Amino acid sequence: MYALRQWSVRHARGLNAFYKAFESALVMLHPLWKWLGYERLERPVAAVERTVKGLLFDCRMCGQCILSSTGMSCPMNCPKSLRNGPCGGVRANGHCEVRPEMRCVWLDAVAGSARIPGGPDALRQVQHAVDRRLQGRSSWLRVVRQRTGDAP
Ligand code: SF4
């Protein structure tokens, strides 16, 4: 929902702090996830993630979340799926050239990042191209597996 997405950018600092705590809790529970089986957990966790992040960020479940680097503005809402900043078509009023009713997600990313400690530096990091093989998978589980060295 667009209004909620905008709210999330305005509250990027609090949401980012909440996510960091949530991620740490998920990492701590790694032995449990491993015992239950990551592949078995994939569908139910992805379903929860899709619901929560869909509501707050209009998440498209790219499977490689970078919200913490983009001020809680999901770059996959860019009609061109740009992951490293805006195209040259941002309108004078800051809206998207493809979807004029929508503010450019990258202008939101700049605004949201400014609210997060270290956000502007994170925003400057170059992001990899989207790996479409991860579409629909849980970013939460992926991050835990990366942080615990359990990535497949
Ligand atoms: S970056 Fe990917 S996982 Fe994160 S909110 Fe956007 S579509 Fe969802």
Side-chain angles (χ1 to χ4, degrees), residues 113-139:
S113 294
R115 298 182 176 109
I116 297 175
D121 286 338
L123 187 64
R124 275 186 223 106
Q125 286 170 15
V126 176
Q127 301 294 336
H128 295 295
V130 180
D131 183 347
R132 296 287 178 190
R133 292 171 299 181
L134 298 174
Q135 183 69 43
R137 293 184 67 86
S138 168
S139 288

mmCIF file of all heavy atoms in Angstrom, residues 113-139:
data_model
loop_
_atom_site.group_PDB
_atom_site.id
_atom_site.type_symbol
_atom_site.label_atom_id
_atom_site.label_comp_id
_atom_site.label_asym_id
_atom_site.label_seq_id
_atom_site.Cartn_x
_atom_site.Cartn_y
_atom_site.Cartn_z
ATOM 1 N N SER A 113 17.374 7.130 4.088
ATOM 2 C CA SER A 113 18.753 6.848 4.517
ATOM 3 C C SER A 113 19.274 7.927 5.454
ATOM 4 O O SER A 113 20.041 7.643 6.378
ATOM 5 C CB SER A 113 19.683 6.754 3.300
ATOM 6 O OG SER A 113 19.329 5.650 2.524
ATOM 7 N N ALA A 114 18.875 9.166 5.196
ATOM 8 C CA ALA A 114 19.341 10.271 6.044
ATOM 9 C C ALA A 114 18.844 10.106 7.477
ATOM 10 O O ALA A 114 19.405 10.698 8.403
ATOM 11 C CB ALA A 114 18.858 11.601 5.463
ATOM 12 N N ARG A 115 17.807 9.307 7.671
ATOM 13 C CA ARG A 115 17.247 9.108 9.017
ATOM 14 C C ARG A 115 17.911 7.945 9.750
ATOM 15 O O ARG A 115 17.679 7.758 10.938
ATOM 16 C CB ARG A 115 15.734 8.844 8.915
ATOM 17 C CG ARG A 115 14.966 10.002 8.322
ATOM 18 C CD ARG A 115 13.465 9.719 8.282
ATOM 19 N NE ARG A 115 12.764 10.894 7.792
ATOM 20 C CZ ARG A 115 12.171 10.987 6.597
ATOM 21 N NH1 ARG A 115 12.170 9.958 5.782
ATOM 22 N NH2 ARG A 115 11.586 12.102 6.222
ATOM 23 N N ILE A 116 18.703 7.144 9.039
ATOM 24 C CA ILE A 116 19.317 5.950 9.637
ATOM 25 C C ILE A 116 20.795 6.228 9.916
ATOM 26 O O ILE A 116 21.499 6.722 9.029
ATOM 27 C CB ILE A 116 19.192 4.753 8.662
ATOM 28 C CG1 ILE A 116 17.725 4.410 8.424
ATOM 29 C CG2 ILE A 116 19.950 3.543 9.196
ATOM 30 C CD1 ILE A 116 17.509 3.316 7.385
ATOM 31 N N PRO A 117 21.298 5.920 11.129
ATOM 32 C CA PRO A 117 22.730 6.103 11.375
ATOM 33 C C PRO A 117 23.535 5.283 10.361
ATOM 34 O O PRO A 117 23.317 4.079 10.208
ATOM 35 C CB PRO A 117 22.906 5.550 12.800
ATOM 36 C CG PRO A 117 21.552 5.632 13.425
ATOM 37 C CD PRO A 117 20.558 5.434 12.311
ATOM 38 N N GLY A 118 24.444 5.950 9.660
ATOM 39 C CA GLY A 118 25.243 5.260 8.640
ATOM 40 C C GLY A 118 24.496 5.030 7.340
ATOM 41 O O GLY A 118 25.035 4.423 6.404
ATOM 42 N N GLY A 119 23.271 5.509 7.278
ATOM 43 C CA GLY A 119 22.443 5.264 6.098
ATOM 44 C C GLY A 119 23.008 5.830 4.797
ATOM 45 O O GLY A 119 23.028 5.127 3.785
ATOM 46 N N PRO A 120 23.484 7.083 4.805
ATOM 47 C CA PRO A 120 24.020 7.628 3.553
ATOM 48 C C PRO A 120 25.219 6.829 3.024
ATOM 49 O O PRO A 120 25.350 6.646 1.815
ATOM 50 C CB PRO A 120 24.429 9.059 3.946
ATOM 51 C CG PRO A 120 23.481 9.400 5.069
ATOM 52 C CD PRO A 120 23.322 8.123 5.842
ATOM 53 N N ASP A 121 26.065 6.332 3.935
ATOM 54 C CA ASP A 121 27.195 5.503 3.481
ATOM 55 C C ASP A 121 26.684 4.192 2.884
ATOM 56 O O ASP A 121 27.194 3.719 1.864
ATOM 57 C CB ASP A 121 28.140 5.196 4.657
ATOM 58 C CG ASP A 121 28.959 6.422 5.049
ATOM 59 O OD1 ASP A 121 29.105 7.326 4.201
ATOM 60 O OD2 ASP A 121 29.442 6.483 6.197
ATOM 61 N N ALA A 122 25.716 3.601 3.549
ATOM 62 C CA ALA A 122 25.151 2.342 3.048
ATOM 63 C C ALA A 122 24.516 2.547 1.671
ATOM 64 O O ALA A 122 24.624 1.690 0.791
ATOM 65 C CB ALA A 122 24.119 1.808 4.038
ATOM 66 N N LEU A 123 23.906 3.690 1.490
ATOM 67 C CA LEU A 123 23.245 3.986 0.213
ATOM 68 C C LEU A 123 24.261 4.066 -0.935
ATOM 69 O O LEU A 123 23.954 3.752 -2.077
ATOM 70 C CB LEU A 123 22.480 5.311 0.332
ATOM 71 C CG LEU A 123 21.595 5.715 -0.845
ATOM 72 C CD1 LEU A 123 20.449 4.731 -1.042
ATOM 73 C CD2 LEU A 123 21.040 7.114 -0.639
ATOM 74 N N ARG A 124 25.486 4.469 -0.590
ATOM 75 C CA ARG A 124 26.515 4.619 -1.633
ATOM 76 C C ARG A 124 27.129 3.287 -2.048
ATOM 77 O O ARG A 124 27.867 3.228 -3.028
ATOM 78 C CB ARG A 124 27.622 5.555 -1.130
ATOM 79 C CG ARG A 124 27.275 7.005 -1.371
ATOM 80 C CD ARG A 124 28.408 7.941 -1.017
ATOM 81 N NE ARG A 124 27.862 9.078 -0.295
ATOM 82 C CZ ARG A 124 27.994 9.292 1.011
ATOM 83 N NH1 ARG A 124 28.718 8.482 1.742
ATOM 84 N NH2 ARG A 124 27.448 10.341 1.581
ATOM 85 N N GLN A 125 26.889 2.221 -1.279
ATOM 86 C CA GLN A 125 27.438 0.913 -1.644
ATOM 87 C C GLN A 125 26.848 0.450 -2.982
ATOM 88 O O GLN A 125 25.638 0.580 -3.202
ATOM 89 C CB GLN A 125 27.095 -0.137 -0.593
ATOM 90 C CG GLN A 125 27.884 -0.033 0.685
ATOM 91 C CD GLN A 125 27.320 -0.946 1.767
ATOM 92 O OE1 GLN A 125 26.525 -1.833 1.503
ATOM 93 N NE2 GLN A 125 27.718 -0.690 2.995
ATOM 94 N N VAL A 126 27.724 -0.089 -3.817
ATOM 95 C CA VAL A 126 27.237 -0.591 -5.107
ATOM 96 C C VAL A 126 26.550 -1.942 -4.891
ATOM 97 O O VAL A 126 27.093 -2.822 -4.229
ATOM 98 C CB VAL A 126 28.405 -0.750 -6.106
ATOM 99 C CG1 VAL A 126 27.912 -1.363 -7.414
ATOM 100 C CG2 VAL A 126 29.066 0.605 -6.361
ATOM 101 N N GLN A 127 25.352 -2.056 -5.406
ATOM 102 C CA GLN A 127 24.585 -3.293 -5.258
ATOM 103 C C GLN A 127 24.759 -4.180 -6.491
ATOM 104 O O GLN A 127 24.835 -3.690 -7.610
ATOM 105 C CB GLN A 127 23.089 -2.966 -5.079
ATOM 106 C CG GLN A 127 22.779 -2.093 -3.884
ATOM 107 C CD GLN A 127 23.084 -2.782 -2.561
ATOM 108 O OE1 GLN A 127 23.109 -4.016 -2.470
ATOM 109 N NE2 GLN A 127 23.322 -1.987 -1.520
ATOM 110 N N HIS A 128 24.799 -5.487 -6.235
ATOM 111 C CA HIS A 128 24.884 -6.441 -7.342
ATOM 112 C C HIS A 128 23.581 -6.433 -8.145
ATOM 113 O O HIS A 128 22.522 -6.047 -7.628
ATOM 114 C CB HIS A 128 25.121 -7.855 -6.815
ATOM 115 C CG HIS A 128 26.438 -8.008 -6.122
ATOM 116 N ND1 HIS A 128 27.640 -7.879 -6.779
ATOM 117 C CD2 HIS A 128 26.740 -8.277 -4.838
ATOM 118 C CE1 HIS A 128 28.625 -8.053 -5.924
ATOM 119 N NE2 HIS A 128 28.118 -8.295 -4.731
ATOM 120 N N ALA A 129 23.674 -6.883 -9.350
ATOM 121 C CA ALA A 129 22.458 -7.054 -10.156
ATOM 122 C C ALA A 129 21.563 -8.076 -9.466
ATOM 123 O O ALA A 129 22.044 -8.951 -8.739
ATOM 124 C CB ALA A 129 22.833 -7.533 -11.551
ATOM 125 N N VAL A 130 20.278 -7.960 -9.696
ATOM 126 C CA VAL A 130 19.324 -8.878 -9.063
ATOM 127 C C VAL A 130 19.532 -10.293 -9.580
ATOM 128 O O VAL A 130 19.655 -10.510 -10.786
ATOM 129 C CB VAL A 130 17.873 -8.438 -9.366
ATOM 130 C CG1 VAL A 130 16.878 -9.380 -8.705
ATOM 131 C CG2 VAL A 130 17.634 -7.029 -8.880
ATOM 132 N N ASP A 131 19.591 -11.229 -8.648
ATOM 133 C CA ASP A 131 19.681 -12.642 -9.005
ATOM 134 C C ASP A 131 18.253 -13.192 -9.040
ATOM 135 O O ASP A 131 17.648 -13.429 -7.998
ATOM 136 C CB ASP A 131 20.522 -13.387 -7.954
ATOM 137 C CG ASP A 131 20.703 -14.850 -8.308
ATOM 138 O OD1 ASP A 131 19.998 -15.338 -9.213
ATOM 139 O OD2 ASP A 131 21.551 -15.505 -7.665
ATOM 140 N N ARG A 132 17.709 -13.356 -10.219
ATOM 141 C CA ARG A 132 16.300 -13.753 -10.359
ATOM 142 C C ARG A 132 16.033 -15.158 -9.821
ATOM 143 O O ARG A 132 14.870 -15.524 -9.607
ATOM 144 C CB ARG A 132 15.869 -13.674 -11.826
ATOM 145 C CG ARG A 132 15.906 -12.270 -12.394
ATOM 146 C CD ARG A 132 14.759 -11.411 -11.858
ATOM 147 N NE ARG A 132 14.828 -10.042 -12.374
ATOM 148 C CZ ARG A 132 14.076 -9.059 -11.931
ATOM 149 N NH1 ARG A 132 13.196 -9.257 -10.966
ATOM 150 N NH2 ARG A 132 14.195 -7.846 -12.420
ATOM 151 N N ARG A 133 17.086 -15.945 -9.623
ATOM 152 C CA ARG A 133 16.866 -17.294 -9.063
ATOM 153 C C ARG A 133 16.347 -17.220 -7.633
ATOM 154 O O ARG A 133 15.797 -18.185 -7.118
ATOM 155 C CB ARG A 133 18.178 -18.091 -9.081
ATOM 156 C CG ARG A 133 18.664 -18.436 -10.484
ATOM 157 C CD ARG A 133 20.031 -19.017 -10.448
ATOM 158 N NE ARG A 133 21.000 -18.059 -9.889
ATOM 159 C CZ ARG A 133 22.296 -18.287 -9.749
ATOM 160 N NH1 ARG A 133 22.793 -19.434 -10.108
ATOM 161 N NH2 ARG A 133 23.089 -17.371 -9.246
ATOM 162 N N LEU A 134 16.557 -16.068 -6.971
ATOM 163 C CA LEU A 134 16.131 -15.931 -5.574
ATOM 164 C C LEU A 134 14.717 -15.381 -5.442
ATOM 165 O O LEU A 134 14.209 -15.245 -4.333
ATOM 166 C CB LEU A 134 17.110 -15.018 -4.819
ATOM 167 C CG LEU A 134 18.553 -15.536 -4.736
ATOM 168 C CD1 LEU A 134 19.455 -14.481 -4.103
ATOM 169 C CD2 LEU A 134 18.608 -16.825 -3.936
ATOM 170 N N GLN A 135 14.104 -15.030 -6.559
ATOM 171 C CA GLN A 135 12.750 -14.461 -6.530
ATOM 172 C C GLN A 135 11.785 -15.350 -5.745
ATOM 173 O O GLN A 135 11.723 -16.565 -5.982
ATOM 174 C CB GLN A 135 12.243 -14.307 -7.979
ATOM 175 C CG GLN A 135 10.883 -13.669 -8.104
ATOM 176 C CD GLN A 135 10.896 -12.179 -7.730
ATOM 177 O OE1 GLN A 135 11.800 -11.462 -8.127
ATOM 178 N NE2 GLN A 135 9.915 -11.746 -6.968
ATOM 179 N N GLY A 136 11.091 -14.762 -4.804
ATOM 180 C CA GLY A 136 10.091 -15.493 -4.018
ATOM 181 C C GLY A 136 10.636 -16.161 -2.778
ATOM 182 O O GLY A 136 9.876 -16.662 -1.953
ATOM 183 N N ARG A 137 11.950 -16.173 -2.633
ATOM 184 C CA ARG A 137 12.545 -16.826 -1.462
ATOM 185 C C ARG A 137 12.694 -15.833 -0.307
ATOM 186 O O ARG A 137 12.670 -14.620 -0.502
ATOM 187 C CB ARG A 137 13.902 -17.446 -1.825
ATOM 188 C CG ARG A 137 13.757 -18.620 -2.789
ATOM 189 C CD ARG A 137 15.077 -19.277 -3.065
ATOM 190 N NE ARG A 137 15.656 -19.959 -1.905
ATOM 191 C CZ ARG A 137 15.387 -21.203 -1.548
ATOM 192 N NH1 ARG A 137 14.538 -21.928 -2.252
ATOM 193 N NH2 ARG A 137 15.982 -21.747 -0.498
ATOM 194 N N SER A 138 12.895 -16.356 0.891
ATOM 195 C CA SER A 138 12.989 -15.514 2.075
ATOM 196 C C SER A 138 14.368 -14.868 2.209
ATOM 197 O O SER A 138 15.383 -15.558 2.276
ATOM 198 C CB SER A 138 12.710 -16.358 3.324
ATOM 199 O OG SER A 138 13.072 -15.632 4.479
ATOM 200 N N SER A 139 14.359 -13.538 2.275
ATOM 201 C CA SER A 139 15.614 -12.816 2.539
ATOM 202 C C SER A 139 16.055 -13.037 3.980
ATOM 203 O O SER A 139 17.243 -13.078 4.276
ATOM 204 C CB SER A 139 15.426 -11.314 2.328
ATOM 205 O OG SER A 139 15.302 -11.021 0.975
#
